[in-house]
């Protein structure tokens, strides 16, 4: 991990088109502004982890076999 020291209103540039700027400081928080192209997904760490966990859970459930007996389902056909 790269660790940089920045002061209020200073920036970090990533790949030339992503700008991270320190916009406010307090005793326990740093407020940052991020300017990036629209196709770049930006998520807070805890949101990213939840999305990842839901995706993994959904993937595992889709692999489970159905316990429904499909032969009991009726199909009503419409006669022409």
């Amino acid at each position: 991990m790269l660790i940089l020291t920045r002061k209020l209103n200073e920036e970090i540039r990533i790949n030339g088109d992503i700008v991270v700027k320190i916009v406010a400081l307090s005793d326990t928080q740093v407020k940052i502004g991020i300017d990036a192209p629209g196709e770049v997904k930006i998520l807070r760490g805890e949101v990213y982890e939840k999305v990842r966990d839901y995706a993994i859970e959904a993937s595992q459930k889709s692999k489970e076999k159905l316990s429904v007996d499909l032969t009991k389902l009726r199909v009503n056909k419409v006669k022409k």
Side-chain angles (χ1 to χ4, degrees):
M1 174 185 293
L2 174 65
I3 300 173
L4 302 171
T5 301
R6 300 279 68 200
K7 294 179 182 175
L8 186 62
N9 294 319
E10 289 184 338
E11 298 175 346
I12 298 168
R13 290 191 171 261
I14 302 169
N15 259 1
D17 59 350
I18 299 172
V19 179
V20 180
K21 184 177 182 178
I22 308 301
V23 295
L25 298 169
S26 69
D27 289 340
T28 58
Q29 290 185 325
V30 176
K31 188 178 284 187
I32 59 173
I34 302 171
D35 187 15
E39 67 272 9
V40 175
K41 292 182 181 178
I42 301 170
L43 298 173
R44 290 179 287 152
E46 64 274 16
V47 173
Y48 172 81
E49 290 173 9
K50 280 187 179 181
V51 169
R52 182 194 61 202
D53 292 346
Y54 288 140
I56 290 170
E57 184 179 327
S59 172
Q60 290 171 344
K61 284 187 177 180
S62 71
K63 292 178 183 175
E64 293 176 4
K65 291 184 178 181
L66 289 176
S67 60
V68 177
D69 184 5
L70 297 177
T71 60
K72 293 181 180 177
L73 297 175
R74 292 183 178 183
V75 176
N76 294 326
K77 294 182 180 180
V78 177
K79 294 181 181 180
K80 291 183 181 180

